[in-house]
Amino acid sequence: MAEEKEPQGEAHENYDNEDVIHDVIPVSGMYQNWFLEYASYVILERAVPAIEDGFKPVQRRIMHALKEMDDGRYNKVANVIGQTMQYHPHGDASIADAMVNIGQKDLLIDTQGNWGDIRTGDSAAAPRYIEARPSKFALDVLYNPQTTDWQLSYDGRKKEPVTLPVKFPLLLAQGVEGIAVGLSTKILPHNFCELIKASIDLLKGKKVKVYPDFATGGMADFSEYNQGLRGGKIKVRAKIEEQDKKSLIIKDIPFGTTTTGLIESIIKANDKGKIKIKKVVDNTAKDVEIIVDLAPGQSPDITIDALYAFTDCEVSISPNACVIIDEKPLFIPVNEILKLNTDQTVSLLTQELEIRKAELMEKILFSSLERIFIENRIYRDIEECETWEAVIETIDKGLDPYKEQFYREITEEDIVKLTEIKIKRISKFDSFKADELLKKLEEELKQTEHHLAHITDYAIDYYSNLLEKYGKGRERKTEIKSFDSIDTTIVAANNQKLYVNRQDGMVGYGLKKDEFVCECSDLDDIIAIRRDGKLVVSRISDKTFMGKDIMHVGVWNKGDDRMTYNMVYLDGKTGRSMVKRFQVTAITRDKEYDLTKGAKGSKTLYLTANPNGEAEVVTVKLTSGSKARIKVFDFDFSTIDIKGRGAGGNILTKYPVRKIELKTEGVSTLSGLDIWYDENVGRLNKDERGIHIGKFNGDDHILVIYNDGTYELTSYELTNRYEPNKVVHIARFDPKKPVSAVHYEGESKNYLVKRFLVETTTTEKKFLFISESAGSKLILATTDSNPMIEVEYVKGKSKDKIKEELNLNDLIDVKGWKALGNRLHQHNVKKVKLLESAKSEQVEEKHKAVNAEDKPKVEVKPEMKADIKTENDKSSKGPSGYNVGDTIELDF
């Protein structure tokens, strides 16, 4: 008989029951929990490394699988991937990628086959074609089953390490990058040797600083590294050298780039007109070598700066040190990571020593028991025992007199081990050998206890042994340098032409039918000064309206304190003609500035732009109807000061002006341009950084002497660059000042001294002034007028070193720059050092002695008036601000 179905109404009543409603879980709550679990899994199990060993889980499982398979021979990577999949619940592709990444760092995996190239971006061969095994370094520092914490694998079939017991700051050595849910990590690789030395310094209580080091080499500025924390950044540059005046060579590339990507960025910059090159050739093989051929007329120095500014030859990297500590992601500085790793190494070494101590004590105990058991013939006492219990009791009773000498109680397990000794071993027992074994074990135990008592010294020795064993060939590859900021508007190639329609007020590079002004780049700012006395600066574009009736237009450079504008304008309020000189060093783009007093009807009568502060003489012609007695007169702009653009200026004339004409071209009224050389970055500057090399005017040059025995005359353009580690001497070139040099002549093996005048006039070309023979080298060079050196030498076969000070002026006369010179000293020279000139010291002391009260006073004479200038010029008193007859102080 069929069962009756429940009435529908009763079913509805069950759904209305309160208990059933309380069991319903909102979807939103489920999503929140699931998402948090997913985020936690990604952070802890996939993307972020553990502080203990520096590994992500996949990397740890790869290294564990490699150790399990290790028999000293290479294994196919495909097999290693299969072994790893027993522990890693993901696909083989992710395991292969992670393994190649570890192998390319050349530290933990001994590779064989084509594993790709991080420099060129070439990928590794398929896993079935390449092989791997743990490196000797990995076997030394990564594994120890006795100090490893184990956990079950994801399917519960096997055990895998929670973390590997790494006795080395591996996280910082390898670096790591990962993106998780809501956070990311980027720890840059650091130098192997420097990390070990830093760990040793930490153990000695010293403060340390460690900086990244990249396998791709290059140069890096770590001034804003911020110990790898968020907000910090580093700049990495390719190493670019001038092969000749027509080509550059790139020898290293920045971290994170490839030669292919770098070349593409250069071609892209060239297509955009940022740089001008003929071609790029990639000759990379064992070493990186990219040849960049320059377009005709392009400066190598400016092109190098442009490559850094517009291509991947310079990249900025933002580190973000995030690690897992106690199952939580934390952001900590690299110095703290290093300290934690160093402390962990000490802790692991302590554990290993404790384990070894326990093993030795057990070996000593059993060896002693064995000796007592055999020498006292206790084994014979058990011959008549009929039960196992009787055997154990008999042996235990036989050991009673000796139990006090043992460090622990003798257990039944110890007695059972004695019964397992074979008769053959008993019959051949040698008490002398037993004593020797015990002695060795006790000595080792004593040494182990000593290490435990001096664990810090033991850890230092451990690190030192690692450095000695594995440090060779792992020296720093990335050069630590300070970079100067590059002004992109200066180094950008002139890829546009500037045109102007003065009447309509249109300016830009798209007005090809209008008046050509100059070549420029598409990054430049343009300045325009109009007839109404208004000034405006705008970013260059295809076509920009800058106001009608433009009198001057050109490229404006921010901070240019040499460009000077000479101006005459009519003041609309008074009817006077005003004259002024001004500079425009800072400006707000697209804002109009009034160069007049702002009165209605004011207008510009005369205007010139002078790149080096030139001051011309003009002829002013007044209207024929003016009441002035002299209607034509000359005015020299050098008689007034250079002031700000907002200054009203001086009165030129109160009468109406008909015309102003140029009479004579002007000469610069600015003092020489002070140039400094920053030896940290190898660049010239006006910011008083580094060595002051002089004041420069017009066609002055810089003399640069290099350590390869060559000299070069260069301009004083701030875009010039010099290799700091190659420059021996740099100074303003004075053709009357001789160069004094000491060099080692390779053929005769003698130190020679020479003095010569630079007679060559060719600039931007190097001239060799020492011997071309192999082994020749420049020791020192100077243009000091009183060059003093200290020579260290030995006489004959004596080992005593003698020091002597010599003046190079006394040793040789000035000769031609090609002459080899004379022998420096008759005895065997060991060392030569340049001393500060005695003459220079005397002058400096004299200068210090002259204080404000002792400064000589001089009466101003008419013939001196035009030559004396001060900061407080007053146009009514002439350029000096003083009248004839005034008494002034002169500061030597």
Side-chain angles (χ1 to χ4, degrees), residues 9 18 74 80 97 108 228 248 278 374 388 398 490 677 680 735 847:
E18 290 185 2
Y74 288 100
V80 179
D97 290 343
L108 301 179
L248 305 173
K278 284 171 61 179
I374 296 173
W388 177 251
I490 293 177
Y677 172 68
N680 292 320
H847 178 72

Side-chain angles (χ1 to χ4, degrees), residues 476-714:
R476 170 167 284 278
K477 295 181 179 178
T478 303
E479 188 178 351
I480 299 175
K481 297 190 75 173
S482 295
F483 297 157
D484 56 334
S485 57
I486 296 174
D487 189 338
T488 54
T489 59
I490 293 177
V491 301
N494 289 331
N495 57 351
Q496 299 290 353
K497 295 180 184 294
L498 181 64
Y499 300 90
V500 61
N501 186 318
R502 297 181 185 272
Q503 187 174 358
D504 295 340
M506 302 303 295
V507 179
Y509 48 76
L511 308 172
K512 300 187 184 301
K513 294 182 180 179
D514 291 301
E515 178 187 343
F516 171 74
V517 179
C518 65
E519 291 191 343
C520 61
S521 82
D522 53 11
L523 299 177
D524 284 331
D525 290 315
I526 302 303
I527 185 172
I529 301 176
R530 305 196 300 258
R531 177 75 65 181
D532 60 4
K534 300 292 194 300
L535 176 150
V536 64
V537 173
S538 292
R539 177 74 78 184
I540 191 172
S541 65
D542 182 63
K543 184 189 294 185
T544 302
F545 179 72
M546 302 187 75
K548 293 185 177 183
D549 211 357
I550 295 173
M551 291 192 68
H552 167 76
V553 64
V555 174
W556 178 75
N557 297 313
K558 183 179 179 180
D560 187 352
D561 56 2
R562 306 293 289 181
M563 174 64 80
T564 305
Y565 299 91
N566 299 335
M567 178 180 181
V568 179
Y569 70 91
L570 174 67
D571 180 25
K573 182 178 180 181
T574 63
R576 294 171 176 171
S577 293
M578 311 297 292
V579 60
K580 63 188 288 185
R581 301 181 73 204
F582 62 93
Q583 294 171 339
V584 184
T585 56
I587 212 85
T588 301
R589 285 197 191 100
D590 301 318
K591 177 183 177 180
E592 286 192 348
Y593 294 87
D594 204 330
L595 300 176
T596 70
K597 292 183 178 181
K600 186 178 180 181
S602 298
K603 64 178 181 180
T604 306
L605 300 178
Y606 177 84
L607 179 69
T608 58
N610 306 280
N612 200 33
E614 291 85 358
E616 68 271 30
V617 177
V618 295
T619 299
V620 181
K621 298 179 180 180
L622 305 180
T623 60
S624 58
S626 68
K627 296 180 181 180
R629 184 168 54 88
I630 301 175
K631 292 184 173 57
V632 178
F633 61 90
D634 293 340
F635 177 78
D636 187 350
F637 274 96
S638 66
T639 59
I640 61 173
D641 292 338
I642 300 171
K643 297 184 179 179
R645 64 171 182 271
N650 297 345
I651 298 174
L652 177 65
T653 178
K654 62 182 179 180
Y655 301 107
V657 174
R658 178 171 61 86
K659 191 176 183 181
I660 300 176
E661 296 177 343
L662 175 67
K663 182 177 181 181
T664 58
E665 295 287 347
V667 295
S668 176
T669 58
L670 301 176
S671 61
L673 183 63
D674 281 295
I675 298 290
W676 280 261
Y677 172 68
D678 188 340
E679 51 194 351
N680 292 320
V681 298
R683 301 299 295 269
L684 305 177
N685 67 88
K686 300 185 295 182
D687 307 323
E688 302 185 13
R689 297 194 318 269
I691 305 166
H692 181 250
I693 57 176
K695 287 182 179 289
F696 290 82
N697 288 295
D699 296 328
D700 285 346
H701 291 96
I702 292 175
L703 172 65
V704 190
I705 302 176
Y706 299 97
N707 58 7
D708 61 356
T710 61
Y711 72 80
E712 179 183 27
L713 295 178
T714 73

Side-chain angles (χ1 to χ4, degrees), residues 128-405:
R128 61 184 178 274
Y129 297 125
I130 56 178
E131 298 176 324
R133 64 184 178 188
S135 68
K136 292 181 180 179
F137 174 76
L139 294 172
D140 274 0
V141 303
L142 252 62
Y143 306 106
N144 188 337
Q146 294 175 306
T147 57
T148 302
D149 293 329
W150 300 91
Q151 63 183 359
L152 290 175
S153 60
Y154 68 94
D155 60 0
R157 286 189 172 91
K158 289 202 169 189
K159 285 187 176 182
E160 64 172 327
V162 177
T163 59
L164 290 170
V166 178
K167 303 186 292 293
F168 176 77
L170 188 62
L171 175 58
L172 295 180
Q174 289 203 123
V176 69
E177 189 171 353
I179 300 175
V181 180
L183 62 81
S184 65
T185 182
K186 189 167 189 174
I187 300 173
L188 301 176
H190 293 67
N191 182 259
F192 180 92
C193 301
E194 290 175 7
L195 286 175
I196 292 180
K197 292 175 182 176
S199 292
I200 292 173
D201 286 341
L202 281 175
L203 292 172
K204 291 180 178 179
K206 300 178 181 178
K207 291 184 179 180
V208 298
K209 284 185 180 180
V210 290
Y211 296 113
D213 184 28
F214 308 117
T216 51
M219 306 175 292
D221 185 342
F222 300 113
S223 56
E224 299 179 57
Y225 182 46
N226 194 30
Q227 292 195 42
L229 290 173
R230 287 178 295 182
K233 69 174 182 179
I234 64 173
K235 293 178 182 177
V236 188
R237 287 181 176 177
K239 193 170 287 185
I240 308 176
E241 295 180 2
E242 185 180 323
Q243 190 173 30
D244 52 50
K245 296 300 178 182
K246 297 180 180 178
S247 61
L248 305 173
I249 180 170
I250 301 174
K251 291 189 173 181
D252 287 335
I253 61 174
F255 176 70
T257 65
T258 63
T259 53
T260 303
L262 189 69
I263 291 171
E264 287 176 355
S265 73
I266 294 173
I267 294 171
K268 187 176 180 181
N270 181 69
D271 291 342
K272 288 185 175 181
K274 305 296 185 186
I275 58 176
K276 290 185 178 180
I277 61 172
K278 284 171 61 179
K279 63 178 179 179
V280 184
V281 180
D282 187 2
N283 294 332
T284 300
K286 180 183 176 182
D287 299 314
V288 171
E289 184 179 297
I290 301 172
I291 306 297
V292 180
D293 289 339
L294 306 182
Q298 293 300 301
S299 164
D301 288 336
I302 294 179
T303 304
I304 290 173
D305 280 345
L307 287 170
Y308 288 142
F310 302 115
T311 73
D312 287 346
C313 287
E314 178 182 310
V315 297
S316 181
I317 302 173
S318 299
N320 187 20
C322 178
V323 294
I324 300 298
I325 301 179
D326 295 331
E327 297 189 349
K328 294 178 183 177
L330 294 177
F331 296 91
I332 61 174
V334 295
N335 280 10
E336 185 65 24
I337 293 175
L338 181 63
K339 186 177 186 306
L340 290 172
N341 288 159
T342 304
D343 292 342
Q344 175 182 286
T345 299
V346 174
S347 175
L348 289 171
L349 290 173
T350 304
Q351 289 181 48
E352 290 177 358
L353 288 171
E354 292 284 3
I355 292 169
R356 183 57 182 161
K357 177 183 175 183
E359 291 174 347
L360 288 169
M361 292 177 74
E362 286 298 307
K363 285 183 178 180
I364 291 171
L365 182 143
F366 187 74
S367 295
S368 300
L369 282 177
E370 184 183 59
R371 180 178 177 180
I372 293 168
F373 181 72
I374 296 173
E375 286 187 345
N376 292 281
R377 302 179 183 275
I378 295 175
Y379 61 88
R380 287 189 174 181
D381 296 340
I382 63 175
E383 291 176 354
E384 298 178 0
C385 295
E386 296 180 356
T387 64
W388 177 251
E389 290 77 9
V391 170
I392 299 298
E393 186 178 347
T394 300
I395 296 174
D396 188 40
K397 188 177 180 181
L399 295 174
D400 278 344
Y402 310 100
K403 286 183 178 180
E404 291 184 359
Q405 73 184 52

